[in-house]
Amino acid sequence: MWTNFFKLRLFCCLLAVLMVVVLVINVTQVEYLDRETVSATFIDSSGQFVSSQAAGISRNPYCGYERQTLSSRERMEEDSLLAALQWQVSDVGLVPFVKSTDPSSSYFVILNSAAFFKVGSQLEVLVHVQDFQRKPKKYGGDYLQARIHSSKLQAGAVGRVVDYQNGFYKVFFTLLWPGKVKVSISLVHPSEGIRVLQHLQEEKPDRVFFKSLFRSGRISETTECNVCLPGSLPLCNFTDLYTGEPWFCFKPKKLPCSSRINHFKGGYLKGLLTASESAFFQSDVNIKMPINSSGPDWVTVIPSRIKETYNLELSQGSGTFPSGYYYKDQWRPRKFKMRQFNDPDNITECLQRKVVYFFGDSTIRQWFEYLTAFVPDLVEFNLGSPKNVGPFLAVDQKHNILLKYRCHGPPIRFTTVFSNELHYVANELNGIVGGKNTVVAIAIWSHFSTFPWEVYIRRLRNIRRAVVQLLDRSPKTIVVIRTANAQELGPEVSLFNSDWYNFQLDTILRRMFSGVGVYLVDAWEMTLAHYLPHKLHPDEVIVKNQLDMFLSFVCPLET
């Protein structure tokens, strides 16, 4: 009897082990299939699954990013993002300068011209580009920017450009205010220049280089640093332990890696272009040059009924375009009613008993600087931080307000940042408790323009994960994202910080934070729609409108 019982127990144990082995094998196969098939697909604009191979999605081999470990969902999202960034430039081989896009020969025509338009009507404009021989171009790929404006009303809004890939472009505007409205179209870069910018990003992602100083006693050495470094020389690995963000420096010959004391921008590579390529990047010729109209460049807009206009301005549709417009130099978002914080007391009342964190590049530092200059009760503490680098701190003890600014981690092109101040935004967010009196503002884009898109996607993925966790543990925390903005361009700046690069970064940021529960300050449209020249750091009137929008999220109008 006992022998039979023992045999039965042994049989059951063997059966259980066999079942576990089979289960492990099946799970492994499913995970393998998941990686090999599902991860290689994305959903196109029609909602259909398309393989990355079929869609022609190529991954940049820079730093081994094409081999990074991603979940199937992350891989699918990255494929979708890379597909959305596919800029259609025809492969027409080497194009001589005279056959490239000439803005002075190109022209636009208002299509649906009428005696009068109503507020809310759509305006369609056709753009026809020609080369320097005044011959029509047969392919697309040019980067255009478009806006409507009324100078007397200090009003402006952006337009949506559609490329028909045959030398014709159509621009769609929504007429949002009454009066005489003028159309302006600009060529930012010809398609031939876009091909050069694409090549630089693929082949020269290290065209901005960084350095660090290592010091111990009287001995000091400076070495080059970057997201990855070529060659077989020994490296110091400063990859972040929590986010996995890679960063390396060449190892000093006489000093240990632990002796690093700072980080700074080394400079920009020179001689990146051939003479023929340089011709596509000429100021006053083909960089941000106006395209003239072949007929009237303006229309007359008459008011709609009050109720219709109100519904138009407060449109709640997802993906509203444009997101807003200027009127009398004040930004008017179309999704909600924005407050005006024209008095320092209004800002103090809004921020009372709050802690406000500003994380990111110098464009979010502008917000900190505006607030500390405009609100007298906000006193900045001298932390001994390098100018324009930070970290910075300002306090209003009477009203219990605390403002903090900290730059994001590398890559960052600041002059000198102490090594112990190189903090990643995701890690900072993980250290915030959050709550109804906590506000977070983030801007991170400008310093990633030279790198492959995968580098930026990885950074935003880490930040988004930290934001989601913050909002999960403290749902009443306010998180605001500032988008990229247009800037002034010349032949050299175009190779490193072109609006075309930043437009791609802006597209990635909007898609990755869609539906996350954060607020968006549309700095992109707010710079393009304004009459002032584009600047990396916009003028005060634009910054003021950005902060009015930011503060309106923190302290919305009571309805």
Side-chain angles (χ1 to χ4, degrees), residues 512-536:
M512 290 190 69
F513 279 93
S514 175
V516 174
V518 301
Y519 297 96
L520 206 69
V521 172
D522 199 336
W524 187 262
E525 286 195 22
M526 294 172 85
T527 49
L528 284 182
H530 204 271
Y531 55 82
L532 286 173
H534 300 162
K535 294 181 180 180
L536 175 60

Side-chain angles (χ1 to χ4, degrees), residues 53-117:
Q53 185 175 4
I57 298 172
S58 60
R59 295 185 177 277
N60 197 303
Y62 179 69
C63 299
Y65 266 78
E66 83 282 11
R67 300 189 305 272
Q68 64 179 322
T69 302
L70 298 174
S71 69
S72 59
R73 179 175 293 181
E74 289 170 341
R75 179 71 65 178
M76 186 183 299
E77 178 188 46
E78 189 168 284
D79 283 346
S80 177
L81 290 168
L82 294 176
L85 299 177
Q86 296 293 312
W87 194 271
Q88 294 185 1
V89 178
S90 300
D91 187 11
V92 292
L94 295 176
V95 178
F97 171 70
V98 293
K99 291 186 177 296
S100 66
T101 305
D102 176 15
S104 64
S105 298
S106 305
Y107 61 90
F108 71 85
V109 177
I110 296 176
L111 289 180
N112 55 337
S113 58
F116 297 102
F117 289 84

Side-chain angles (χ1 to χ4, degrees), residues 256-330:
C257 295
S258 58
S259 62
R260 182 179 66 151
I261 64 170
N262 66 23
H263 160 96
F264 57 95
K265 179 184 68 179
Y268 299 89
L269 292 182
K270 305 293 183 181
L272 293 169
L273 304 183
T274 64
S276 58
E277 289 173 333
S278 297
F280 302 135
F281 298 92
Q282 300 183 63
S283 297
D284 300 323
V285 176
N286 51 17
I287 297 178
K288 283 204 174 181
M289 291 297 293
I291 293 176
N292 295 320
S293 66
S294 65
D297 61 355
W298 58 273
V299 296
T300 300
V301 183
I302 60 175
S304 296
R305 287 176 294 181
I306 296 175
K307 185 176 180 180
E308 289 178 353
T309 305
Y310 178 80
N311 290 335
L312 176 72
E313 290 186 359
L314 299 185
S315 171
Q316 294 296 329
S318 60
T320 301
F321 186 89
S323 67
Y325 64 101
Y326 283 106
Y327 190 78
K328 296 183 178 178
D329 238 359
Q330 294 180 352

